Amino acid sequence: MARKAAASVDSTPRITLDRARAHWLRAQGLAEPLKGTLAEVVAATGWVRTLGGADVYLAVRARVPGMRREHLDAAVEASQLQVIPAVRGCIYMVPRADAPLVLRVAEEAYRKRAEREHEKAGLTQKELADVAEAALATLRKGPLTTDALRKAMPAGVVRSLGEAGKKVGISSPLPPALRHLEFEGKVERRMEGGRLDTERYLWRVTARNPFTGAKVPAATEERNARLAAIFFRQFGPATVEDFAAWAAFSQRDAKAAVARAGLVPVAVEDCAEPSYVPEDVLPSLREKVPPATSVSLLPAHDLYVSSHGGPARVTDPEHHGIQVPSWGASKGGPLGDAAHMFVRPVLDGEKVVGLWEFDPKADDVVFRTFAPLAPKRRKAVQALAEDTAAFLREDIGHARSFSLDNLDSVQRRADFVKSVSK
């Protein structure tokens, strides 16, 4: 048995970290732009968090150079891309083809928590169904915000859940009723004003239910396996831990999903745990690829940087000690320990080599690198910085990263970026 196990381990393909990085960059459409519609690019490179700021545009534009704001807004308005609850209960922009699976995965995670909260708030399934039916009837007259919908519905249908509701964060039955309608594919959310840089939603009746004709596995295990197949095609080679962190799965459920998805192991240099990819990806990992010549200015939460445990895997070790702000941490810490940097990274090829931000005082993008770049590379980053600054000024009108971000915070990050220069 021991000899068979050893043979199995020895047969696992082995690649260097540099080769893994090169594959990540190409799979993410950052080495060179991918062909296809915006929905096809997002399907290939990964669903994008919509935090109510500019970052959703920056993430897609890094993969589709020259994209304008209205192009992405139009793809969402046409339902080619949909903004829906997804993994971790977070709101993502996903291709319509993935929406049925995503909604079912999100619904299962939501219901486990929601059923307990509804019971504590005194909200019954019958009342929830009644409110949902009334909301749907009202929305058939036209799209409305949640507040406008509440006012337009018949008097007495939507009641306050009082102190019991406040304790679990549900003020009335309407928000959970809308969530249930969304999970059923009967309504869909649109951003108020038609722009993605907001978390204020309009609700409208779907023109065509996304579940019509869709084949979504009924079993949780099969849905999880399909989710794993998508993640590892977009972000592999990656570990079970990487997948569990992205999907908010337990290690047990993540391992089961990886096993069921038919993925194959790959040993990546300096990674103690095995990584996985779809079997048809193995040949491309054996191919030699030319050195990357691309430069990229990514948003703070771009999954190229965070999908493998944080920026450490795509940053040279000599820079791991640089102190950076981290999402959810008041003081930040070393780059090498960060799971999610709360500052925008500069890529030279496949590596994080610096940081950038829009400087409101200068009305321009400022960037600093951890070490001097070759003149030709610095010129390329400078040209991209000027293009990105124009995009933020003229297309977006701000550089806020998320809905509660503000001008002062953006300025503080810009000042921080200017302080990291060697």
Side-chain angles (χ1 to χ4, degrees):
M1 293 293 292
R3 285 194 296 273
K4 289 182 180 179
S8 176
V9 170
D10 290 341
S11 67
T12 300
R14 298 175 180 276
I15 62 173
T16 64
L17 179 56
D18 280 344
R19 184 63 189 84
R21 288 167 171 163
H23 182 78
W24 295 336
L25 194 77
R26 281 158 179 77
Q28 284 291 294
L30 294 170
E32 56 186 29
L34 299 178
K35 295 180 180 179
T37 64
L38 291 176
E40 289 168 341
V41 170
V42 173
T45 62
W47 311 331
V48 186
R49 284 288 304 275
T50 57
L51 296 163
D55 283 14
V56 61
Y57 296 107
L58 292 171
V60 180
R61 197 171 192 267
R63 293 153 174 87
V64 185
M67 185 201 79
R68 303 295 299 269
R69 176 186 61 77
E70 58 265 29
H71 298 156
L72 194 57
D73 293 342
V76 173
E77 179 60 27
S79 296
Q80 296 163 5
L81 290 160
Q82 290 190 241
V83 176
I84 56 175
V87 291
R88 306 189 68 84
C90 298
I91 305 299
Y92 278 76
M93 183 181 68
V94 309
R96 183 177 176 83
D98 289 339
L101 173 66
V102 175
L103 286 169
R104 285 289 176 260
V105 170
E107 179 184 23
E108 183 169 6
Y110 167 81
R111 286 190 184 277
K112 291 176 182 178
R113 181 189 76 253
E115 288 174 1
R116 296 191 299 269
E117 293 177 347
H118 295 173
E119 185 177 356
K120 291 178 181 178
L123 178 58
T124 67
Q125 287 298 312
K126 182 181 184 308
E127 181 180 12
L128 197 61
D130 289 344
V131 173
E133 184 178 351
L136 190 60
T138 304
L139 287 174
R140 289 194 178 103
K141 301 173 184 176
L144 293 168
T145 65
T146 304
D147 288 341
L149 174 60
R150 181 184 292 106
K151 294 174 182 176
M153 289 171 67
V157 172
V158 180
R159 68 183 176 95
S160 169
L161 293 176
E163 290 300 321
K166 287 181 181 179
K167 289 180 180 179
V168 293
I170 308 174
S171 61
S172 83
L174 184 56
L178 286 168
R179 183 62 64 92
H180 281 235
L181 288 170
E182 184 175 38
F183 286 143
E184 293 170 359
K186 294 179 179 179
V187 302
E188 58 188 4
R189 64 181 78 204
R190 285 292 179 268
M191 273 57 181
E192 190 174 23
R195 294 174 54 129
L196 291 164
D197 52 346
T198 179
E199 288 188 322
R200 291 182 57 84
Y201 302 116
L202 284 171
W203 296 94
R204 74 180 185 186
V205 176
T206 52
R208 182 175 182 272
N209 193 309
F211 290 103
T212 301
K215 296 180 180 180
V216 182
T220 297
E221 295 80 8
E222 289 297 332
R223 291 197 297 269
N224 291 352
R226 188 174 292 185
L227 195 68
I230 291 172
F231 174 84
F232 285 93
R233 184 166 297 280
Q234 293 168 342
F235 302 109
T239 66
V240 169
E241 185 176 356
D242 294 334
F243 173 57
W246 174 78
F249 283 178
S250 67
Q251 289 292 311
R252 176 182 174 182
D253 288 346
K255 287 179 182 178
V258 168
R260 190 177 286 267
L263 303 167
V264 295
V266 176
V268 178
E269 174 190 29
D270 295 334
C271 185
E273 298 297 321
S275 297
Y276 295 88
V277 294
E279 189 170 6
D280 63 354
V281 170
L282 280 180
S284 67
L285 290 176
R286 298 187 179 105
E287 296 173 357
K288 290 185 178 181
V289 295
T293 59
S294 60
V295 294
S296 307
L297 298 185
L298 299 181
H301 305 287
D302 197 278
L303 284 172
Y304 175 79
V305 175
S306 63
S307 62
H308 299 94
R313 298 289 282 168
V314 290
T315 308
D316 281 342
E318 64 188 285
H319 306 313
H320 286 185
I322 292 173
Q323 297 291 307
V324 295
S326 295
W327 183 261
S330 58
K331 295 183 179 180
L335 179 151
D337 295 340
H340 298 279
M341 288 195 305
F342 188 31
V343 63
R344 292 162 169 159
V346 177
L347 293 189
D348 180 6
E350 66 276 359
K351 295 180 183 179
V352 174
V353 298
L355 308 171
W356 75 276
E357 185 53 86
F358 188 85
D359 185 342
K361 290 181 180 177
D363 200 30
D364 208 354
V365 162
V366 59
F367 71 90
R368 296 290 186 271
T369 57
F370 305 143
L373 297 179
K376 186 176 180 180
R377 306 301 291 161
R378 185 172 184 83
K379 185 177 180 180
V381 175
Q382 181 62 51
L384 182 57
E386 292 171 3
D387 176 71
T388 303
F391 175 69
L392 289 171
R393 283 194 305 262
E394 298 165 14
D395 264 33
I396 308 299
H398 66 86
R400 297 190 305 275
S401 182
F402 61 104
S403 59
L404 298 180
D405 204 8
N406 57 49
L407 192 65
D408 289 341
S409 294
V410 175
Q411 187 65 60
R412 284 194 295 271
R413 293 197 299 274
D415 293 341
F416 168 78
V417 166
K418 288 183 282 189
S419 75
V420 301
S421 179
K422 282 194 174 182

